[in-house]
Amino acid sequence: MEMQGIDKAFDSVAACVNCQFELRSGEVHALIGENGAGKSTLMKILAGVYKKDAGTISLRGQQVDIPNPHAAQVLGITMIHQELNLMPHLTVAQNIFIGREPRSPIPYLLDDAKINQQAKELLASLNLHFNPKMRVGGLTVARQQMVEITKALSYNSQVLIMDEPTAALTESESEELFHMINRLRDKGIGIVYISHRLEEIKRISDRVTVMRDGHYIATKLTADISIDEMISLMVGRTIYESKPEIPDHASPDIVLEVRNLNRGRELQDVNFSLKRGEILGLAGLMGAGRTEVARAIVGADPVDSIDLTVNGRKVHIRSPKDAVQHGIGYLSEDRKRYGLITGMDVANNVGMASLRKFLRAFGIIDDTRVSEAAQQQVKALAVKTPSVKQKVRNLSGGNQQKVVIAKWLTADTDILIFDEPTRGIDVGAKSEIYKLLNELARQGKSIIMISSELPEILRMSHRIIVMCEGRITGELSSNEATQERIMQYATQRGGMVTALEESA
Amino acid sequence: MQTGTVTRENPATSYTHRILKSEAIQRILAFAALLIMIIFFTLSSPNFLRTQNIEGIFLSTAVNGILAVGVTFVIITGGIDLSIGTVMTLSAVITAKAVSEVGLPIGIGILCGLLTGALAGLINGVVIARMRVPPFVATLGMLYVAKGLSLILSNLAPIYFDRDSGFTDLATGVILEIPDIISIPNAVLIFFGAALIGSFVLGRTILGRYTFALGSNEEAARISGVSTARWKIVVYTLAGFFSGLAGIVIAARLNSAQPALGQGYELDAIAAVVIGGTSLSGGEGSILGTVIGAFVISVLTNGLRILSVPQEWQMVVTGAIIIVAVFLDMARRRGK
């Protein structure tokens, strides 16, 4: 299988530029790169999920066209997505054969005995010994994945694409998956393995292809490349635009302290603190648990345990409303869904989190005062809008983000948690947001900034903590931080960290 | 101030949730509720277990039960059909017109009624699956259309069947009877027949399998090559067909088509489905549960009436039971 010169753009943002990829049968070929490097996009083109803008795909030397997932299936290409495509209420066998059930001689009648028998044989051929009559919803994620793999192979797939297959697995489950991958390789199936976990890649892959910013970078034999080399290929040699503005005198006051934050396997023993006027960068790869930390702090999700101290006082935050009362605001990565009411005007959005302040007698909202407060913020934050009566929907991404910030400032929050503050914002507006964050920090607001863009983390953060798989794996001051060091921590699994700490 | 640890309740570990999460439990709950009600009413009133009363309960379950069986399919796909009540009436009106005014044989009249229901369901399905109108809105529209058409076609007046035509025997006649013990009205046989067929279709055919698949993960089914739109249309058509059947049964019971009747039946049917453990969010459910749910409602109504509870209060109790049933369903779901 070979892909050449693949281009793909979404809304004129290029996701893949002149990309190439090659896969031999009986090979495990790893595809690596930072978040947004274009790995998944490239593979979704191969699996027929996206249509390519340019380029060619050939299979066994013959050029092929893959307009939809079904066409890919017919060609023997199957992708196992991160979000598994299973029907939780149906049984294992029913899931495997959905859409092509063995029928009884009477039309429309199912032959369940045959479905279960065939599923059992398929599972057995892969050395899987679980009951085909089990409901998929009751299986562990690892087993659900095995069901997807079984389903894929039942289409006689020759190319199997796995997108972050171990993201939700425990170590022993991953081990089981690797055995499975080895068996499939021995059967001559070509496997594309997308993962952030470089140790895994080192272990199971034959070759590695690196992508960065939508470009093909290199393909190497796994045996010839070290993990450090992989990291440096992934991050490239980009020069940082500027160093963070760090105040001369770091404030000693700790405004927020998080201790003993646990939730199942998602968050494990997260501890950190935030000082007044500090911008704390929270780095990590997708699924590392950064957003979960933020949501846990503001009480948006249930947790197993958390000790929170705000301004030296222990507090119990059970809901986002409590968080606001303690001066903590969370600015979601998905502004349109969680941050703004886009159909309402700027003034109402700015006042949304603090409407109580603007009430007249009998609970009537004093629109004049809301407008005044909004006008003040619009001016202070330089929001570009014709008036505060403008609907938020009509503003640009950067200005929408400013409206969200204005909302939290109006609500008198001193601790602001920004989740991907510049996602979907164009480059020019980005630097304005950066300036604003610096200004807020100077005024004594404390900021936690979650970001997947390493240059952004490096440019803004006074201090950086790195997470991987629900744990904090490292802390870096701004002058010791580099993209490489962050990536190292971000790809470290729990087991290794403990080992490192013990040896240190 | 020694401990600042907040332990927010994690539903997955809570004991009550664990009890409720087992699959069969909801059905058992409904069945247990039914038994408890029967025992309670039997102890409270000597009239409850009388043969005549039991026959009455069966008869009053039939129409709602048939509607509920049809809408169970729709609800398992994660959809809803609000039009079944008035489509039932429209089918009754069409049958009555065909037989009493046009003078067609009863068999043909029945066929017309069934086809009317199926056609309304087909239109619902097309509007939902092809035109992408949400099921709630599409079937709400059909509710009014069918109601309006019933009134127009009947000139706002009931249409009666000829007393000698034997049409009422369809519902109130008896072909199954254990002499001196109980006689089962035909309407009940039709209901049980419909439930058996529904149960078979849901459990053993392609249509049933895809009904669950649609409600469980429509996108996954689509990617696996299931023509989801087509099967959705089939499901709504089936629900319409069952409404047609219910229309014929109710017309036979009343020996007439009552054009003003119908609205409100959809809610009783949906209540029966929900009490029977079918999830409104789709993916799970059973016909047996729906049958039990239908009996829960009619036993409750009947028992409260025997105890001379005013009709207003009957409604209050029924409403409370529906809420409790759905609450248990949601609690079970969260526990997963």
Side-chain angles (χ1 to χ4, degrees):
Chain A
M1 196 282 306
E2 202 173 359
M3 298 174 90
Q4 282 289 352
I6 303 288
D7 286 352
K8 173 74 195 175
F10 296 103
D11 301 333
S12 77
V13 178
C16 282
V17 185
N18 197 16
C19 287
Q20 48 173 300
F21 192 77
E22 178 199 83
L23 183 70
R24 303 188 189 128
S25 59
E27 171 190 54
V28 177
H29 195 151
L31 184 57
I32 60 174
E34 283 184 272
N35 296 336
K39 305 167 300 222
S40 294
T41 309
L42 186 64
M43 286 305 125
K44 282 181 178 168
I45 290 171
L46 184 58
V49 178
Y50 297 146
K51 284 199 184 103
K52 60 185 188 298
D53 298 340
T56 58
I57 301 173
S58 45
L59 204 62
R60 291 180 208 93
Q62 275 188 331
Q63 202 164 320
V64 291
D65 187 34
I66 308 179
N68 56 48
H70 186 66
Q73 237 163 44
V74 171
L75 290 169
I77 301 170
T78 313
M79 180 158 181
I80 294 170
H81 297 266
Q82 246 171 305
E83 333 69 58
L84 298 173
N85 265 311
L86 291 169
M87 284 146 282
H89 300 93
L90 268 52
T91 68
V92 171
Q94 290 169 355
N95 262 287
I96 293 174
F97 287 103
I98 190 78
R100 54 202 172 101
E101 290 83 355
R103 311 273 182 98
S104 82
I106 306 161
Y108 297 107
L109 220 60
L110 292 168
D111 188 342
D112 266 322
K114 206 158 150 195
I115 292 178
N116 287 328
Q117 184 54 36
Q118 289 189 6
K120 203 169 173 182
E121 283 163 16
L122 266 170
L123 291 165
S125 74
L126 293 169
N127 267 339
L128 296 171
H129 301 286
F130 45 92
N131 188 348
K133 291 179 197 160
M134 288 268 289
R135 292 220 321 185
V136 161
L139 300 176
T140 61
V141 178
R143 297 202 139 190
Q144 293 187 7
Q145 210 169 44
M146 296 292 170
V147 174
E148 275 248 47
I149 293 171
T150 310
K151 183 177 163 189
L153 295 176
S154 72
Y155 287 100
N156 287 318
S157 295
Q158 289 305 307
V159 176
L160 200 57
I161 307 162
M162 299 190 185
D163 192 358
E164 299 269 359
T166 53
L169 304 191
T170 63
E171 259 162 276
S172 63
E173 288 169 341
S174 302
E175 218 45 56
E176 222 175 297
L177 178 73
F178 298 154
H179 283 304
M180 167 77 97
I181 289 175
N182 280 329
R183 279 201 297 277
L184 298 179
R185 168 164 48 193
D186 295 343
K187 287 186 179 186
I189 290 165
I191 295 166
V192 183
Y193 190 92
I194 302 178
S195 179
H196 287 310
R197 296 186 178 156
L198 303 180
E199 310 108 76
E200 273 176 27
I201 284 172
K202 194 76 187 136
R203 253 189 68 191
I204 63 157
S205 71
D206 302 306
R207 286 194 293 167
V208 183
T209 287
V210 183
M211 289 182 70
R212 189 199 314 145
D213 300 332
H215 291 267
Y216 168 85
I217 301 297
T219 301
K220 305 257 179 181
L221 286 174
T222 310
D224 296 346
I225 182 171
S226 71
I227 289 184
D228 286 340
E229 283 166 332
M230 287 187 209
I231 291 176
S232 66
L233 283 174
M234 277 161 74
V235 298
R237 292 279 157 228
T238 43
I239 293 151
Y240 317 133
E241 294 165 53
S242 64
K243 275 278 165 192
E245 292 179 26
I246 298 176
D248 304 335
H249 300 289
S251 160
D253 324 350
I254 287 177
V255 290
L256 175 72
E257 193 163 5
V258 178
R259 288 276 166 259
N260 189 26
L261 169 54
N262 281 290
R263 183 173 72 220
R265 262 169 48 197
E266 286 170 16
L267 294 176
Q268 296 182 13
D269 200 27
V270 173
N271 298 296
F272 67 91
S273 58
L274 177 69
K275 298 195 194 90
R276 186 177 309 287
E278 181 180 46
I279 301 179
L280 176 66
L282 195 46
L285 295 163
M286 247 176 259
R290 296 163 300 163
T291 298
E292 286 76 6
V293 168
R295 290 179 59 94
I297 293 173
V298 299
D301 295 325
V303 293
D304 297 337
S305 70
I306 185 169
D307 297 330
L308 272 180
T309 313
V310 176
N311 291 321
R313 287 208 343 264
K314 296 241 178 203
V315 294
H316 292 201
I317 290 178
R318 286 164 213 278
S319 70
K321 181 176 164 245
D322 291 353
V324 176
Q325 265 162 8
H326 287 106
I328 306 174
Y330 170 61
L331 291 79
S332 162
E333 57 189 316
D334 193 345
R335 286 186 293 279
K336 291 200 177 99
R337 236 167 85 200
Y338 302 118
L340 291 166
I341 302 166
T342 51
M344 281 169 71
D345 63 20
V346 173
N348 273 301
N349 271 288
V350 170
M352 190 54 65
S354 45
L355 277 181
R356 268 173 202 289
K357 290 205 301 192
F358 301 107
L359 290 185
R360 286 192 305 205
F362 309 114
I364 298 163
I365 297 168
D366 189 338
D367 280 325
T368 333
R369 272 170 54 217
V370 174
S371 288
E372 280 167 13
Q375 231 131 27
Q376 225 175 352
Q377 291 291 352
V378 163
K379 220 165 121 194
L381 304 183
V383 184
K384 284 190 203 75
T385 172
S387 85
V388 295
K389 293 282 160 224
Q390 175 72 292
K391 289 223 163 65
V392 166
R393 188 190 295 139
N394 302 329
L395 301 183
S396 71
N399 284 306
Q400 287 186 355
Q401 182 67 288
K402 286 184 182 176
V403 172
V404 184
I405 298 173
K407 174 173 85 176
W408 290 114
L409 293 180
T410 308
D412 293 326
T413 49
D414 293 323
I415 300 166
L416 295 167
I417 307 175
F418 286 87
D419 201 347
E420 304 286 356
T422 60
R423 175 163 296 172
I425 291 174
D426 61 59
V427 185
K430 264 186 190 178
S431 63
E432 266 194 73
I433 297 286
Y434 294 152
K435 257 196 334 220
L436 188 57
L437 292 189
N438 281 328
E439 179 57 33
L440 291 172
R442 215 171 5 247
Q443 288 168 10
K445 308 272 183 202
S446 309
I447 293 169
I448 298 174
M449 187 183 77
I450 299 171
S451 174
S452 295
E453 293 179 37
L454 290 181
E456 178 169 291
I457 286 270
L458 288 167
R459 174 179 173 168
M460 296 303 299
S461 314
H462 303 171
R463 192 159 57 94
I464 298 164
I465 53 182
V466 189
M467 289 188 68
C468 179
E469 318 208 329
R471 301 169 206 258
I472 292 182
T473 49
E475 181 177 330
L476 296 162
S477 70
S478 68
N479 36 19
E480 47 184 18
T482 61
Q483 296 204 30
E484 285 80 0
R485 294 192 69 167
I486 294 176
M487 282 305 279
Q488 227 154 28
Y489 283 129
T491 51
Q492 228 161 40
R493 304 200 63 173
M496 266 187 74
V497 182
T498 351
L500 280 178
E501 278 168 359
E502 272 161 14
S503 65
Chain B
M1 273 299 174
Q2 296 95 329
T3 168
T5 306
V6 185
T7 310
R8 287 187 213 121
E9 191 187 35
N10 188 338
T13 55
S14 141
Y15 181 64
T16 43
H17 287 290
R18 214 177 322 150
I19 297 185
L20 291 168
K21 95 184 184 183
S22 110
E23 251 174 65
I25 211 88
Q26 179 82 8
R27 215 170 306 156
I28 294 167
L29 277 178
F31 193 65
L34 183 60
L35 279 182
I36 290 168
M37 265 189 253
I38 290 172
I39 293 168
F40 173 77
F41 288 128
T42 308
L43 296 177
S44 314
S45 164
N47 294 328
F48 183 75
L49 266 194
R50 284 210 180 145
T51 315
Q52 223 186 347
N53 191 48
I54 291 175
E55 283 172 21
I57 290 175
F58 273 106
L59 196 57
S60 66
T61 312
V63 169
N64 184 35
I66 294 169
L67 286 176
V69 167
V71 82
T72 301
F73 282 81
V74 171
I75 292 177
I76 291 175
T77 67
I80 194 82
D81 190 343
L82 297 176
S83 67
I84 50 173
T86 59
V87 166
M88 168 186 86
T89 306
L90 181 61
S91 301
V93 168
I94 296 278
T95 304
K97 265 191 100 78
V99 175
S100 299
E101 292 183 14
V102 184
L104 294 172
I106 285 178
I108 304 289
I110 290 172
L111 196 64
C112 289
L114 293 176
L115 286 179
T116 303
L119 180 67
L122 177 73
I123 294 170
N124 277 334
V126 169
V127 171
I128 291 161
R130 299 269 183 231
M131 292 158 64
R132 309 278 170 119
V133 176
F136 190 97
V137 179
T139 60
L140 183 66
M142 182 57 78
L143 182 157
Y144 288 113
V145 170
K147 187 179 184 184
L149 287 177
S150 302
L151 294 169
I152 295 165
L153 289 172
S154 62
N155 275 327
L156 310 176
I159 309 174
Y160 291 92
F161 291 92
D162 189 345
R163 280 224 176 273
D164 307 325
S165 70
F167 187 67
T168 43
D169 289 346
L170 217 60
T172 49
V174 174
I175 54 169
L176 179 74
E177 164 173 49
I178 308 166
D180 301 327
I181 302 177
I182 197 161
S183 51
I184 309 283
N186 291 341
V188 178
L189 289 185
I190 295 175
F191 164 41
F192 285 156
L196 279 177
I197 292 169
S199 193
F200 180 80
V201 170
L202 193 60
R204 302 294 297 279
T205 67
I206 294 277
L207 171 59
R209 181 65 37 84
Y210 292 166
T211 301
F212 283 106
L214 282 170
S216 189
N217 188 344
E218 188 175 336
E219 185 57 18
R222 200 179 63 81
I223 288 178
S224 307
V226 177
S227 20
T228 48
R230 203 181 76 200
W231 288 105
K232 216 184 258 187
I233 293 172
V234 173
V235 165
Y236 281 91
T237 307
L238 188 74
F241 176 83
F242 277 104
S243 305
L245 185 60
I248 286 154
V249 171
I250 198 168
R253 244 190 90 186
L254 305 172
N255 198 36
S256 64
Q258 301 282 343
L261 212 72
Q263 204 173 339
Y265 275 70
E266 68 282 343
L267 297 182
D268 284 346
I270 292 167
V273 175
V274 168
I275 291 172
T278 295
S279 155
L280 276 178
S281 40
E284 54 189 322
S286 70
I287 298 293
L288 179 62
T290 296
V291 171
I292 294 171
F295 274 110
V296 166
I297 292 181
S298 53
V299 164
L300 191 66
T301 314
N302 177 283
L304 293 173
R305 196 185 312 138
I306 284 185
L307 296 184
S308 309
V309 173
Q311 209 187 348
E312 309 83 84
W313 284 103
Q314 293 173 24
M315 287 189 206
V316 173
V317 174
T318 312
I321 289 210
I322 292 169
I323 292 172
V324 169
V326 175
F327 164 74
L328 291 175
D329 190 42
M330 296 313 282
R332 188 173 56 99
R333 215 161 297 285
R334 271 197 305 273
K336 275 194 178 161

